[in-house]
Amino acid sequence: MPPPLDHVKRTKLLSGVIEYIGENGLSELSLRPLAAALDTSARMLLHYFGSKEQMLVAALETQRPDIAAAFANIADADTLRQRLHERWTANTSGDSATSASVVLQVLGDACVQRGPFLDYANSAVDLLVTAIAQVLGRLEPPVEDPKATATILVSGLRGVLLDRLVTGDAARTDRAARQLIDQTLRAAPTPTS
């Protein structure tokens, strides 16, 4: 009979998984080296999570911010602009930058392999687009196509973040993110009277 799960140990392992992927990447991830880095065994990782893919999804879920709460109660474009700038800063510094790097790797894997991360990737994209689209729909006047405008913001910022992770050019990508946010919100089409 397998030993009972130690939930404190499981939480610590999930945090270690994110750090490991942030440093070593997802594409060549193997359980044995990961387990060694986490001071455990591949067998114990499988005991805790069932499969490598289930472990990765569980680790990603620990990093997912409450997007709905982050964009709740925003009713004007200036507050939305400020919140998007705050999210950009959060995603490009500290532990959040590692999480953002891992999420980008998972999104890339999902679009290539259509495998175990596809549901997680779809959910991650939909949560953010929906939250921002809801704000855009509450603006006065509301944006004509809130989902399309939210998609421009989310996908554009994701692309700029990918650029930053590849090039390391923080100054240029910070300017690009600011410009994308400001210009998209300024140019968002509103319904005609």
Side-chain angles (χ1 to χ4, degrees):
M1 183 164 137
L5 291 181
D6 177 344
H7 294 287
V8 173
K9 173 78 172 176
R10 184 179 191 278
T11 300
K12 184 178 176 186
L13 289 171
L14 290 173
S15 177
V17 168
I18 294 294
E19 290 175 32
Y20 183 88
I21 295 169
E23 292 174 14
N24 299 288
L26 177 64
S27 64
E28 301 294 320
L29 182 65
S30 177
L31 283 180
R32 283 192 176 87
L34 171 63
L38 298 177
D39 198 29
T40 190
S41 68
R43 183 184 61 77
M44 286 307 293
L45 289 176
L46 292 174
H47 168 70
Y48 275 98
F49 304 107
S51 71
K52 179 172 77 171
E53 291 77 15
Q54 289 171 321
M55 174 191 66
L56 291 171
V57 169
L60 290 166
E61 289 292 346
T62 68
Q63 304 297 301
R64 184 179 282 182
D66 186 350
I67 296 299
F71 290 95
N73 303 320
I74 297 175
D76 64 271
D78 289 337
T79 305
L80 176 59
R81 183 178 291 109
Q82 178 183 350
R83 186 64 44 85
L84 288 167
H85 287 300
E86 290 168 0
R87 296 291 319 146
W88 171 260
T89 301
N91 284 330
T92 57
S93 59
D95 290 342
S96 292
T98 300
S99 295
S101 170
V102 172
V103 167
L104 287 173
Q105 292 178 62
V106 168
L107 291 173
D109 184 81
C111 72
V112 171
Q113 297 191 11
R114 296 272 186 227
F117 305 120
L118 186 58
D119 289 340
Y120 176 85
N122 276 326
S123 172
V125 170
D126 186 58
L127 283 171
L128 194 50
V129 168
T130 298
I132 294 171
Q134 288 173 346
V135 174
L136 292 168
R138 290 193 301 263
L139 298 181
E140 284 300 328
V143 172
E144 185 174 299
D145 190 344
K147 279 250 178 182
T149 303
T151 300
I152 290 168
L153 287 164
V154 171
S155 297
L157 289 170
R158 188 178 303 117
V160 175
L161 181 58
L162 181 61
D163 178 329
R164 182 188 192 115
L165 293 171
V166 169
T167 66
D169 191 336
R172 178 178 54 81
T173 55
D174 281 345
R175 289 191 317 272
R178 180 168 296 283
Q179 190 172 1
L180 174 69
I181 293 165
D182 293 346
Q183 287 183 359
T184 301
L185 291 178
R186 189 171 30 251
T190 56
T192 55
S193 313

